[in-house]
Amino acid sequence: MKASIKFSKDAVISKIDERIYSSFIEHLGRAVYGGIYEPGHPTADDMGFRKDVMELIAELKVPMVRYPGGNFVSGYNWEDGTGDRAKRPKKLELAWNSVETNEVGIDEFQEWAKRVGTDVMMAVNLGTRGPEEARNLVEYSNQKTDTYYANKRRENGFEEPFNIKTWCLGNEMDGDWQIGTKRANEYGRIACETAKLMKMVDKDIELVACGSSGPFMPTFGEWEETVLREAYEHLDYLSLHSYYGNPEDNSQEYMGSACIMDSFIRKVVEICDKIKEEKKSDKSIMLSFDEWNVWFHSNEQDKEQEPWQIAPPLLEDMYNLEDAIVVGDLMITLLKNSDRVKIACLAQLVNVIAPIMTVTGGGVWKQTIFYPFKYTSQNGRGTAIKAEIEAGTFTEGKAENIPNVDAVAVLSEDEKELAVFAVNRVIGEDAEVELKLDGFEGYKLTEHVSMEGADLKAGNSIDEPEKVVPVIKEIGETLKLTGGSWNFLKFEK
Ligand code: AHR
């Protein structure tokens, strides 16, 4: 196929908020225990954090990590994870039928985040708890006052506040699987009152309200409108969650996943702007796509897990090449919408639907999805530039009229580098690309890396950790995007 891709310097989408490269650690499976934390591991630091895991996270340049859930947060008492570890309660954890030891809590996690060089995005429990516990947690985390919860933090060894800026008002409160599910108006009210109190304790924090758990939810749309009508004045962001997959093994249909994400984002933007208009507000609500990824490989094996284990191996999806192409494509979509998507969290970071896997007591390895995330996060900082593309479309199964090729560019702040991220979604059909750079005189292609290969089902493992790695492409006169590939092209001036 022939394709033309044009980037004009003035086709600016937005300056990219670096929090679009955030991720997520939940008290779920082996994300915390056996993931980021394993005292006694040969690489463990003085607090028991695995340094081999930290090193891989550093490669991903993750600016913020959402914590402690997810579904977990809706039954969580944050106080259980603070203070003397010998006295912390071991509890039944109802979201994932596990046992939570509380060995790691906010005290340890914020210290881990500091060591990794990332910020914490903290979620409060609006399932079994409410405004009171949330405002206490803000005081514990952020206040300098001589008052009960700020003093508790000091007693626990942290003189300086944690200064957590971004907070989630609960998690997926529309889902009937959620502990303490709410109807839209119930959630809107509690989100509003909780937000008010949290901002009274610290006026500088930013708040994310729960949107729908996905576009498939029966209340999608109506939920967003109701929540925004109730709480608009106190909110900064509305959340979106979505997971993609290929359960029916139709790889070509699966290549259309990013278009589903794109239409979800556009619908939520439309709703936010409708309520802005209704409220005659000057403020636009921005989006926090705080859970996104591929998730389906582990569904069956998770049904076999015995309940009430500590850190069972849950949601351990083993990713393959086609998943990596889709993840890269989803990141292109996030960047294309970076005028409204200011936060996005790859769910999750370690062991649980994750780019980084560990062996308890053993090594670490990179899943296929590690690579598109790494290249985009490392090179996609600056200003997003829109692409004009002519390449035709395909229809396969439920994926209708999907553009064969998609792309976005990012101009670095110093304008020395232009990163192009591009996908050819048509498996088996290469695209010969005419790439036009308008207003980018003197920029030369210096690097072309792709995720591609003959076996879309190939993946990595602890035994074959480098079976699927990025392909370094030769730079020639013509530009080709292999059929079924995700690509990073670096232009330098
Ligand atoms: O990321 C895994 C789970 O997916 C989260 O706990 C929940 O919010 C979502 O359903």
Side-chain angles (χ1 to χ4, degrees), residues 24 26 28 66 69-72 95-96 171-172 177-178 213 241 243 291 295 315 347-348 352-353:
F24 180 25
E26 176 167 3
L28 191 189
R66 185 167 175 250
N71 297 340
F72 169 82
W96 302 104
N171 176 71
E172 295 189 350
W177 59 87
Q178 200 67 215
S213 300
H241 288 183
Y243 293 96
E291 285 187 33
W295 173 16
L315 279 67
Q348 302 193 6
V352 170
I353 41 173

Side-chain angles (χ1 to χ4, degrees), residues 289-301:
F289 212 125
D290 45 44
E291 285 187 33
W292 70 270
N293 201 350
V294 168
W295 173 16
F296 74 105
H297 294 287
S298 59
N299 291 353
E300 289 310 309
Q301 87 207 26

Side-chain angles (χ1 to χ4, degrees), residues 337-394:
N337 290 286
S338 55
D339 54 332
R340 295 304 286 266
V341 179
K342 297 297 170 188
I343 300 171
C345 304
L346 174 70
Q348 302 193 6
L349 188 54
V350 183
N351 288 335
V352 170
I353 41 173
I356 298 170
M357 299 299 290
T358 71
V359 175
T360 306
V364 279
W365 56 278
K366 298 170 182 175
Q367 295 244 36
T368 58
I369 63 167
F370 184 94
Y371 297 104
F373 190 94
K374 169 184 142 170
Y375 277 97
T376 315
S377 173
Q378 285 189 358
N379 299 285
R381 314 266 173 150
T383 303
I385 313 274
K386 193 174 153 48
E388 275 175 55
I389 301 176
E390 280 170 39
T393 60
F394 73 87

Side-chain angles (χ1 to χ4, degrees), residues 53-237:
V53 174
M54 287 184 184
E55 275 166 26
L56 293 197
I57 295 173
E59 258 188 74
L60 293 178
K61 274 189 90 181
V62 175
M64 185 168 77
V65 180
R66 185 167 175 250
Y67 177 82
N71 297 340
F72 169 82
V73 79
S74 298
Y76 183 52
N77 291 357
W78 65 266
E79 303 87 337
D80 292 346
T82 61
D84 185 351
R85 279 163 138 191
K87 293 197 186 131
R88 292 188 192 175
K90 224 194 226 179
K91 286 199 168 166
L92 283 184
E93 199 291 285
L94 302 183
W96 302 104
N97 299 322
S98 306
V99 168
E100 174 55 50
T101 63
N102 285 305
E103 235 179 290
V104 171
I106 182 62
D107 289 354
E108 293 75 26
F109 190 77
Q110 63 79 35
E111 185 57 40
W112 172 83
K114 260 194 218 139
R115 292 175 184 203
V116 171
T118 191
D119 287 337
V120 177
M121 177 190 205
M122 189 74 194
V124 300
N125 173 355
L126 293 187
T128 58
R129 308 185 100 192
E132 170 71 6
E133 296 84 0
R135 67 123 175 191
N136 294 344
L137 179 53
V138 178
E139 179 187 330
Y140 184 87
S141 305
N142 289 3
Q143 263 298 355
K144 284 189 166 164
T145 46
D146 174 18
T147 51
Y148 185 80
Y149 286 100
N151 285 335
K152 273 264 168 227
R153 182 193 68 239
R154 293 188 184 96
E155 275 167 34
N156 292 338
F158 302 94
E159 181 56 40
E160 288 309 312
F162 304 154
N163 287 326
I164 299 174
K165 184 154 169 73
T166 319
W167 295 74
C168 303
L169 295 159
N171 176 71
E172 295 189 350
M173 299 308 306
D174 59 334
D176 57 10
W177 59 87
Q178 200 67 215
I179 299 170
T181 311
K182 306 267 182 290
R183 302 279 85 87
N185 66 317
E186 292 170 335
Y187 174 68
R189 286 298 304 133
I190 198 169
C192 176
E193 295 309 314
T194 307
K196 263 163 61 182
L197 266 61
M198 289 170 77
K199 284 192 171 172
M200 282 175 191
V201 178
D202 181 352
K203 65 176 178 24
D204 295 326
I205 60 174
E206 292 194 329
L207 297 176
V208 183
C210 295
S212 295
S213 300
F216 58 85
M217 293 299 287
T219 51
F220 172 51
E222 187 191 319
W223 172 275
E224 279 75 2
E225 289 196 11
T226 310
V227 170
L228 290 174
R229 278 196 191 102
E230 292 290 352
Y232 198 95
E233 290 73 14
H234 307 285
L235 303 179
D236 304 285
Y237 306 90

